[in-house]
Amino acid sequence: MCGVMHQIQYSQDAMLDGNLGEGEPIPDTRERILFLLNGKPGSRLEPDTVHKTEKFIRENTELFDRIGAKSVLCHGDFRLGNIMLAKRQAYLIDFEFAFSGSPYYDMGYFFRNKSEKVQPLMKEPVQEAFADGYRETSPIPLPPDWLELAKLCDICNMLCMLNHDTIPPEWVSEVESRILQTIRAR
């Protein structure tokens, strides 16, 4: 389903209008992360985490160029709760956060750690099945390091969670931990 959705391509990252047409352009992933690190989300992180993340982005421009190579229809909230099964058919619902951007946004969000019941199921066999299905349905080649690129892209999604006025304190430590794990893994 993700691969089929990503068949719809755009000329740039942008907000979408009511007909899923390109609206106002939005900055690329690299610029969005840097913006968020220098705003409210970044102020909630340890200064060392912000510094390490900014340094990682500066030193790995080719990764972010790869992330931003294509703009596609992104669901914006691609998770198990937004996949509905009816009469042996699967449907994606809840497109209120849809935008045009990197296909890795949806992948990163989907594979981010889940509840204790779901996370054990999201291991390598599921990742491989996802990649196989994506390769069959999407015109966008899926590189061997797709999950790593998706996790880098998901840094933006996680920082957006910290942009709300009130958030549970454990969100900050969890986001910080995941960001550091992601940039260390590269």
Side-chain angles (χ1 to χ4, degrees):
M1 291 172 25
C2 189
V4 170
M5 181 176 54
H6 290 171
Q7 289 177 11
I8 301 171
Q9 296 188 33
Y10 296 89
S11 65
Q12 62 186 338
D13 290 4
M15 301 304 294
L16 299 178
D17 63 24
N19 297 316
L20 298 180
E22 280 184 31
E24 186 169 335
I26 55 178
D28 67 15
T29 304
R30 170 186 14 233
E31 293 304 316
R32 277 184 264 175
I33 292 172
L34 292 171
F35 176 80
L36 291 164
L37 287 172
N38 288 297
K40 186 188 299 183
S43 71
R44 293 183 164 158
L45 302 174
E46 293 294 327
D48 190 52
T49 300
V50 172
H51 173 73
K52 286 177 181 176
T53 307
E54 290 172 335
K55 182 177 184 223
F56 179 86
I57 290 170
R58 282 192 311 272
E59 292 176 353
N60 293 279
T61 57
E62 75 288 345
L63 292 174
F64 289 92
D65 289 344
R66 288 175 56 209
I67 287 170
K70 296 272 187 199
S71 291
V72 301
L73 173 60
C74 290
H75 185 276
D77 193 16
F78 189 65
R79 60 187 175 89
L80 295 173
N82 284 330
I83 300 172
M84 190 169 127
L85 298 174
K87 297 182 182 178
R88 297 183 180 232
Q89 287 281 69
Y91 299 91
L92 277 176
I93 61 170
D94 192 13
F95 278 82
E96 71 183 87
F97 298 112
F99 66 100
S100 69
S102 172
Y104 299 110
Y105 272 97
D106 286 333
M107 295 174 202
Y109 192 87
F110 186 78
F111 282 100
R112 186 185 313 147
N113 288 349
K114 310 289 182 206
S115 70
E116 290 179 20
K117 292 180 182 178
V118 175
Q119 190 57 38
L121 305 173
M122 301 302 280
K123 300 297 182 194
E124 195 169 316
V126 170
Q127 295 166 8
E128 289 174 9
F130 175 90
D132 290 344
Y134 192 88
R135 287 182 181 108
E136 289 175 12
T137 58
S138 175
I140 300 168
L142 199 58
D145 63 346
W146 67 271
L147 189 54
E148 294 168 11
L149 295 174
K151 288 178 181 181
L152 285 172
C153 207
D154 196 44
I155 290 173
C156 190
N157 293 330
M158 291 187 294
L159 289 171
C160 285
M161 292 178 3
L162 302 183
N163 215 16
H164 299 284
D165 288 333
T166 57
I167 57 169
E170 61 272 12
W171 283 17
V172 175
S173 58
E174 184 67 25
V175 166
E176 190 155 37
S177 173
R178 289 182 187 171
I179 289 172
L180 291 172
Q181 286 173 343
T182 299
I183 64 177
R184 285 184 190 134
R186 291 300 301 194

